[in-house]
Amino acid sequence: MSAKALFVYDENEVAYKFNDSHPFNQQRLVLTVDLLRKAKALSGDSLIRPMPADETQLCSVHSQEYVNAVKALSADQPTDEWMHQAGKYGLDTEDTPFFPGMHEATSILVGGSIRAVDAVLGGEAGHALHLGGGLHHAMPHKGAGFCVYNDAAVAIAHAKSKYGVRVLYIDTDVHHGDGVQWSFYTDPDTCTFSIHETGKYLFPGTGAVSERGDGTGFGTTINVPMEPFTEDESWLECFEEVLIKTAAQFKPDLIVSQHGCDAHAYDPLAHIHCSMEIYRAMPRIIHRLAHEHCQGRWVALGGGGYDIWRVVPRAWSLLWLEMSEHPLLLQLEQNPEMALPADWVAKWQPHYGEALPTTWLDAVHTWDPIPRRREITEKNRHTKEIASLYLA
């Protein structure tokens, strides 16, 4: 399955920062890149830098009015008039508050995802990863869920307009990929697949199996909502079975995947109880499907993930190891207890109050068993069967 993989990264992407206490913390990018470097899995010839997206690109998804509001609220001292209007654009909430330099910082994130698309569809690489992206909640006219601009939707729109491709968007974030779904809900050439915790209990409250698209796009929206406290085996069973059928039916030219890693048991903002195993397995499945259906064309983005010390660096590193087909993956398969680089643990341990993990995967056998495991699994299988029926 070999294909050249590129890693899109710019140190300035950490400027996307709402405030010091906000759970969305881009320091996780620094931790991940450092882990990959210490694991000798990221070399300079794999790195490419993004350019900021321009207004034309932003307005392929967002309204000009919204972009103007983001720019105005990005000033060091926004006018009283704009501050009073921030609520109209979803930028005055605890989740998504405006901040100085917001437009510039988010434009780089959007530009990074566009750069990844150009690298793959322009023939520069077979795969490209942009961990700074994955802001999947932003809507055409407002920000939401820690997301100011929707880089995933803009990147998909760019792929379609410039290259004329059919895009399968795969969202593995524990929160439903609502902003991308609604952006392409009537589009027959964009299929959105999202596995997530059910919206009954979690933001954004959408993502039911019954959301299937509309008009000529009917049937190109696939949702697989999981029950709280779902574990690895049930999550992966539902993910793999429905996604394989989705890809076979839709026949994409390009896969764009979003890799929020907040379905982990340690994540503080959700209720799923998965381990690092799903973050090894899901990229492997997506990688295989990219080669089966898209001649290997695969763009991967970051996303949610709020345990930035114990979860995100390992999960995103496993994604890159799969995408780049690094030998460490084979070593990990042969030795599931393989240790993380000791110098990475030593460097970052003083910055974190609890013990950092010392292995790539979790010792799940030491975790307390989840009550109602059978009922949760049966409920998820019922959801999987409904989603699969739509693909019959």
Side-chain angles (χ1 to χ4, degrees), residues 48 91 200 209 214 253 257 259 264 324 328 343 368 379:
I48 55 174
L91 297 173
K200 293 177 184 177
V209 177
D214 200 7
D253 303 308
S257 55
H259 295 264
H264 194 281
S324 62
L328 272 175
D343 50 351
D368 293 334
K379 175 63 177 173

Side-chain angles (χ1 to χ4, degrees), residues 36 137 193 273 311 353-354:
L36 286 169
H137 293 306
F193 171 99
H273 206 263
V311 175
E354 300 179 40

Side-chain angles (χ1 to χ4, degrees), residues 105-346:
T106 319
S107 295
I108 290 177
L109 300 187
V110 179
S113 297
I114 292 171
R115 180 70 179 89
V117 166
D118 282 336
V120 170
L121 294 182
E124 190 178 351
H127 315 321
L129 174 60
H130 177 227
L131 292 174
L135 306 180
H136 60 164
H137 293 306
M139 299 292 180
H141 307 289
K142 64 188 303 184
F146 312 162
C147 305
V148 176
Y149 293 139
N150 194 320
D151 68 283
V154 173
I156 292 168
H158 176 75
K160 289 166 55 62
S161 65
K162 184 173 180 178
Y163 301 98
V165 294
R166 286 166 61 82
V167 180
L168 170 58
Y169 171 74
I170 302 168
D171 195 308
T172 70
D173 198 288
V174 80
H175 302 90
H176 175 229
D178 57 339
V180 183
Q181 172 179 297
W182 301 126
S183 292
F184 301 101
Y185 203 61
T186 61
D187 182 355
D189 294 318
T190 304
C191 179
T192 62
F193 171 99
S194 179
I195 185 169
H196 47 268
E197 182 180 334
T198 173
K200 293 177 184 177
Y201 312 106
L202 191 70
F203 177 89
T206 53
V209 177
S210 57
E211 295 167 19
R212 299 183 57 196
D214 200 7
T216 57
F218 184 76
T220 59
T221 295
I222 310 296
N223 286 301
V224 189
M226 297 285 92
E227 291 298 296
F229 303 105
T230 292
E231 296 168 283
D232 293 344
E233 186 176 352
S234 180
W235 179 280
L236 288 172
E237 174 188 330
C238 296
F239 175 80
E240 183 168 21
E241 184 171 323
V242 181
L243 181 58
I244 286 173
K245 291 180 179 178
T246 299
Q249 183 181 89
F250 183 70
K251 298 178 175 59
D253 303 308
L254 169 71
I255 288 176
V256 176
S257 55
Q258 193 266 21
H259 295 264
C261 45
D262 38 8
H264 194 281
Y266 294 162
D267 195 273
L269 299 188
H271 317 98
I272 299 295
H273 206 263
C274 290
S275 78
M276 203 56 59
E277 177 57 29
I278 70 168
Y279 299 112
R280 176 171 64 163
M282 288 191 293
R284 181 187 301 166
I285 295 165
I286 296 169
H287 193 180
R288 185 180 77 238
L289 292 174
H291 283 278
E292 287 179 4
H293 297 283
C294 311
Q295 298 179 305
R297 291 185 289 261
W298 176 24
V299 170
L301 311 174
Y306 308 101
D307 190 318
I308 72 165
W309 300 96
R310 297 179 296 175
V311 175
V312 182
R314 292 189 295 161
W316 282 355
S317 292
L318 288 169
L319 168 60
W320 174 248
L321 293 181
E322 175 63 42
M323 183 170 262
S324 62
E325 299 183 30
H326 196 276
L328 272 175
L329 273 183
L330 180 59
Q331 296 174 36
L332 184 57
E333 190 142 342
Q334 295 168 342
N335 176 21
E337 297 180 358
M338 189 169 73
L340 292 171
D343 50 351
W344 183 85
V345 177

Side-chain angles (χ1 to χ4, degrees), residues 53-73 82 85 88-89 91 103 107 139-142 148-149 154:
D54 59 36
E55 282 196 30
T56 300
Q57 291 168 326
L58 295 173
C59 289
S60 65
V61 167
H62 297 288
S63 69
Q64 184 68 61
E65 178 186 351
Y66 177 64
V67 173
N68 291 343
V70 172
K71 292 173 69 177
L73 290 166
W82 275 111
Q85 292 190 59
K88 176 182 176 182
Y89 302 103
L91 297 173
H103 170 75
S107 295
M139 299 292 180
H141 307 289
K142 64 188 303 184
V148 176
Y149 293 139
V154 173

